[in-house]
Every structure is written in C-alpha cells, then in structure tokens.
Amino acid sequence: MIRHVLTLLLLPFIGISQNYGYFAGGRSAAMAHSSVALSDVWSGLHNQAGLAFLEKPSFGLSYENRFFLNDLSLANAALAFPSKLGTVGLSLSYFGFELYNESKIGLNYSRKFGEYFSFGLQLNYHSFYVEEGNHDPGFLTFEAGILTKPIPKLSIGFHVFNPTNSYKNKETDQQIYPIMRLGALYQFNEEVALTGEIKKDINLPERYALGFEYYFIPELAFRTGVGIQPFTNTFGLGLDLGGFTADLSYEYAQTLGNNANISLQYEF
C-alpha cells in the first residue's frame, strides 16, 4: 500500500496524461523519442503518416518500465494493414495500476499521395480510472500527421495531437493539451541514420531531441540519443531477423530516474 501511495504522489511530476501515447517502441526510446519522421509499425503512436510507407502488415508489442516502478509501467500495441487504398491501423496504450490507470484506443488511416508524401489521421478514445475518485466515462480526441521526402535520403514529419484542446475531465478542469512535433530523418546509407525533433506541448517548454542509428551488421543495430527539457540520455540495441525484430533501450532521465523499454515487431 505504501508503494501505491508513493506512486500516486509521483504522478503529478511525471505528467503522464500529456504524453503517454507517444512513448512506444524500443527503437524510438533508444533514439530519445526522436521518431516523428520514422516509418514503422509504431508510427501509429508517433505519426500515422508513416504507416502509409509500410509494405507488409505489421504487429508490435511494447513495454516500458518507468523509473523501475511496476506501478508506472506503460504497455502499447500496434497493428497496421497496408493496401492499395491506404493503410488501416489500430493502436492501444495502457498506463498505471489498480488505483490509477489510463488507456487510449486509436483507429487510424493513412495514405500516400505519389511516392514522396503521405497523410495520416487517427481517432482516439480515452478513459481513466482513479480509486475513490470521479470516473470519467471516456472522451474522444484526434491526431493527424504528414510525412514528406523532398530529396533522396531525407524524410520530414509533422504531427499534431488533440488540436481541438479536448478536456480530460470537465468537472475538475483537467485538460489534455495540444502537442505538436516536427522532425526529420536523414538516411546516410543502409547502415547509418540521424534523426532530430522538436516537440511542443502547449503547456510546457519545447523539447529537443537527437537520435543516431548504426547497423554493425544487417542484423544488429546500435542506437543512442539525447533530449533536452528535460535532459535524457538514451541508448539501445535492435535485432533484425527479417520479418521479426526486437528492440531494447535504456534511458537516463535527469529529473526522476531511469527507464527501460522492450518491443517486439512482426511483419506478416
């Protein structure tokens, strides 16, 4: 019980309700979450426009242990089905424990327009539970993004979450504020990639992040990243076995402590 009480005291400092849907996938976590311009199954939780560039149906599971407290664990799942008419996907997020938890379910659609531009849109249903508190019946938000490739090897992504500034709980005036992300990916070659991103929560200072990815061999990647406001330093490994990939990451967060993330992805 004492552990649960301490966890509840930490929640206001974590601000999890403002960003929990974005922290998905070991690859993103290892690159300081500089991932708005990436294109993989986790684009369903970062920038839905990236899903339009997938060539095969994909499924992913992700688990993050925040500050090594089980009560602050975050679980995500993503599913994407590309077709000639576009890509349809589903994303799921769950954070918390029995006294406090949040969940988000998202249904998305993305499509390419030509070979170098895509657009994605997602509708979300949010719910949260607080022991002995007011239980919100749930509410809707939406998010949208674009991804463009203006020159070879360069991708630029922009994403906005909840631009209508929907309320989380109108009785307590708790809000989920709009969040905007702008970033780029430069793929030097098949082995080396660099990412950069600016994230702006309307109620918080801008967050800057850089990520680096290097494949020692085609099956094994090393990744690292750094974020500012708050300061974080990340690194991780990725294993690519063709249709199956696994990613591990570790994050040092200056404000509260350390995080660990593992994700598994499979292409059908």
Side-chain angles (χ1 to χ4, degrees):
M1 185 62 186
I2 295 177
R3 175 171 56 88
H4 291 332
V5 172
L6 291 174
T7 301
L8 288 171
L9 291 175
L10 282 172
L11 284 170
F13 299 98
I14 297 169
I16 188 69
S17 63
Q18 298 301 319
N19 56 25
Y20 71 92
Y22 293 125
F23 294 88
R27 185 188 184 198
S28 170
M31 300 168 75
H33 307 294
S34 175
S35 50
V36 73
L38 298 182
S39 180
D40 57 28
V41 69
W42 297 114
S43 296
L45 292 113
H46 295 281
N47 180 2
Q48 293 74 28
L51 297 173
F53 289 92
L54 298 183
E55 297 180 354
K56 297 179 180 180
S58 302
F59 174 70
L61 293 173
S62 174
Y63 178 82
E64 181 169 284
N65 190 331
R66 290 195 164 189
F67 318 117
F68 294 99
L69 294 173
N70 290 333
D71 291 344
L72 298 182
S73 62
L74 171 67
N76 292 287
L79 186 65
F81 290 95
S83 71
K84 293 181 179 180
L85 299 178
T87 301
V88 175
L90 180 69
S91 65
L92 306 169
S93 298
Y94 178 87
F95 164 81
F97 61 109
E98 61 267 27
L99 299 184
Y100 179 92
N101 55 74
E102 301 187 21
S103 63
K104 184 182 84 166
I105 301 174
L107 180 64
N108 57 64
Y109 174 77
S110 59
R111 184 170 182 175
K112 286 198 297 182
F113 297 89
E115 294 297 320
Y116 310 108
F117 181 84
S118 66
F119 172 80
L121 181 68
Q122 178 165 292
L123 179 66
N124 303 309
Y125 175 79
H126 300 259
S127 64
F128 76 99
Y129 172 83
V130 181
E131 179 73 10
E132 298 180 357
N134 294 323
H135 309 314
D136 194 284
F139 59 98
L140 299 174
T141 64
F142 78 92
E143 52 193 286
I146 59 173
L147 186 64
T148 182
K149 300 184 178 185
I151 61 174
K153 301 182 179 181
L154 176 65
S155 299
I156 299 174
F158 174 77
H159 181 264
V160 59
F161 168 76
N162 191 30
T164 57
N165 198 23
S166 298
Y167 280 88
K168 175 181 178 181
N169 188 325
K170 292 186 178 181
E171 294 182 1
T172 61
D173 201 34
Q174 291 176 289
Q175 286 182 274
I176 291 186
Y177 293 99
I179 301 172
M180 293 175 288
R181 301 169 72 192
L182 175 66
L185 161 72
Y186 191 81
Q187 191 80 42
F188 292 90
N189 50 48
E190 293 183 357
E191 292 81 29
V192 181
L194 182 68
T195 63
E197 179 176 313
I198 302 172
K199 174 183 174 183
K200 175 58 180 177
D201 182 320
I202 197 172
N203 201 40
L204 295 172
E206 296 86 356
R207 180 182 184 273
Y208 303 89
L210 288 173
F212 175 77
E213 179 178 68
Y214 174 64
Y215 275 85
F216 294 101
I217 56 177
E219 296 80 18
L220 184 63
F222 169 76
R223 302 180 180 113
T224 187
V226 61
I228 301 175
Q229 292 187 345
F231 174 79
T232 60
N233 185 225
T234 63
F235 62 90
L237 295 173
L239 179 65
D240 188 343
L241 300 178
F244 173 79
T245 58
D247 299 306
L248 299 170
S249 72
Y250 178 84
E251 176 182 8
Y252 168 72
Q254 186 180 48
T255 306
L256 289 174
N258 305 320
N259 307 324
N261 187 297
I262 181 172
S263 67
L264 306 173
Q265 298 79 221
Y266 180 72
E267 288 184 344
F268 295 80

